[in-house]
Amino acid sequence: MSRLIFLLTLLLSLAGIGNVQAAAEGLRLELKRDGQQWQFTPADLLRRKDVTGITVRADVAYKRDMQYRAVPLRNLLRDNGFTAQGTLNFLALDGFAAPIDAAQIVRDDGAQAWLAVEDPAARWPALSPDGSSDGPFYLVWLPAGDDKNAAPKIPPEHWPFQIAMIEQTVPPEQRYPQILPDLTLPKHHPAWEGFALFKTHCLACHTINGGGDGVLGPDLNQPHNPVEYFTAQYLKL
C-alpha cells in the first residue's frame, strides 16, 4: 500500500511539473487600453529587435543577481499607443495587482523598466514547490545613468512577476473612491501620508472598504481593521 501511495504521489508530482511547463509555454501577456487589447506570447516578445540581455543586481524575487532577456517596457507600450498618463495596472496570476504611475515607466529619465521574458526552452529557477518561476513575464528595473551596479530605488511591490495583463487606466483612487481618507481632512494630515504608503506598499495585495484590484490578501477594513487586533509595533513599515 505504501508503495502504491508513493507511486501515485510521484505521478502527481510529475504531472504537476508538466502542467507548470505547459502553462508557462501557453501563457500570453495581455495589453489593454481604451477598450483595445493585444496579446503576446513569450516567443512574440523574444523576436523583437530591441530584446536585450540584462543583469539585475540583487533581484527582488530571487534575492541574488540575475540575468534576463528583456524588452524595454516603454518601447512595447509606446508601440501599442500607451501614454504617460494615468496608471498602469499590472495584474498577476496569483491576484497581485500593482498600480504604477504610467509616467514612471514611459518617461525616458529615472530608473528603467524592463519586461523580462522567460524562454520556455530555458526556464528560470523555480520559486515555489510546484516548480513555477517568476515568469514568463516579470517587471524588473535597472538604475538610471552609467552606474549599473547601483540599486534602483523602486519598492518591491513594483516588481510584479507572473504578469498576465498590463492595463492603462485612471489612478486607483478615482476608480475606487472608498479607499480615500476623509476628504475634509487637510492635505497635511497624517492620514494622507498613510494613504500614500498604503497605495505604494499595500494596495497590490489588499483591498480596503472593498476597493482595489489586489486579491492576494484580505480586505484591510472589512470586516475588521488591523488596528483592532494588531498593536502599533506590528504596523510599522
Side-chain angles (χ1 to χ4, degrees):
M1 186 67 178
S2 60
R3 289 185 64 190
L4 178 60
I5 293 174
F6 171 77
L7 289 173
L8 287 173
T9 302
L10 178 60
L11 288 172
L12 288 172
S13 299
L14 292 175
I17 293 172
N19 288 338
V20 169
Q21 178 73 22
E25 293 176 357
L27 286 175
R28 287 170 167 76
L29 174 70
E30 183 174 350
L31 301 184
K32 188 174 181 180
R33 65 161 181 83
D34 301 329
Q36 302 181 68
Q37 55 187 18
W38 301 261
Q39 290 189 345
F40 301 91
T41 65
D44 293 332
L45 297 178
L46 290 172
R47 282 194 294 266
R48 287 179 58 98
K49 294 181 179 180
D50 55 357
V51 169
T52 305
I54 64 171
T55 298
V56 177
R57 305 296 182 190
D59 181 89
V60 166
Y62 288 107
K63 313 302 181 187
R64 59 183 174 88
D65 293 355
M66 289 290 294
Q67 293 183 335
Y68 298 106
R69 295 176 67 194
V71 175
L73 185 53
R74 67 169 177 257
N75 291 2
L76 177 64
L77 296 176
R78 287 172 175 172
D79 289 348
N80 291 281
F82 284 66
T83 68
Q85 305 301 313
T87 295
L88 293 174
N89 208 21
F90 291 79
L91 306 178
L93 295 175
D94 62 1
F96 189 88
I100 303 177
D101 183 10
Q104 185 177 1
I105 290 176
V106 178
R107 69 190 183 194
D108 293 318
D109 60 334
Q112 304 167 9
W114 291 77
L115 185 69
V117 182
E118 182 180 34
D119 186 342
R123 298 195 60 221
W124 301 335
L127 275 178
S128 61
D130 69 0
S132 61
S133 70
D134 59 2
F137 309 107
Y138 174 26
L139 176 61
V140 300
W141 298 83
L142 293 182
D146 297 328
D147 187 1
K148 301 304 180 184
N149 292 316
K153 296 180 179 180
I154 302 295
E157 293 81 8
H158 288 184
W159 295 67
F161 53 80
Q162 295 184 352
I163 300 168
M165 178 188 293
I166 304 174
E167 179 180 13
Q168 185 150 40
T169 182
V170 297
E173 59 267 32
Q174 293 184 31
R175 299 173 64 201
Y176 303 106
Q178 68 266 42
I179 72 176
L180 285 165
D182 185 342
L183 296 180
T184 64
L185 294 174
K187 292 302 180 183
H188 61 271
H189 192 279
W192 289 104
E193 181 181 355
F195 172 71
L197 291 172
F198 167 79
K199 185 176 172 182
T200 298
H201 299 287
C202 308
L203 191 56
C205 291
H206 302 274
T207 56
I208 190 167
N209 298 322
D213 296 302
V215 294
L216 191 58
D219 191 281
L220 294 182
N221 203 39
Q222 299 176 348
H224 303 290
N225 190 295
V227 298
E228 297 176 24
Y229 50 91
F230 279 165
T231 60
Q233 63 177 332
Y234 292 112
L235 297 175
K236 293 180 180 179
L237 286 176

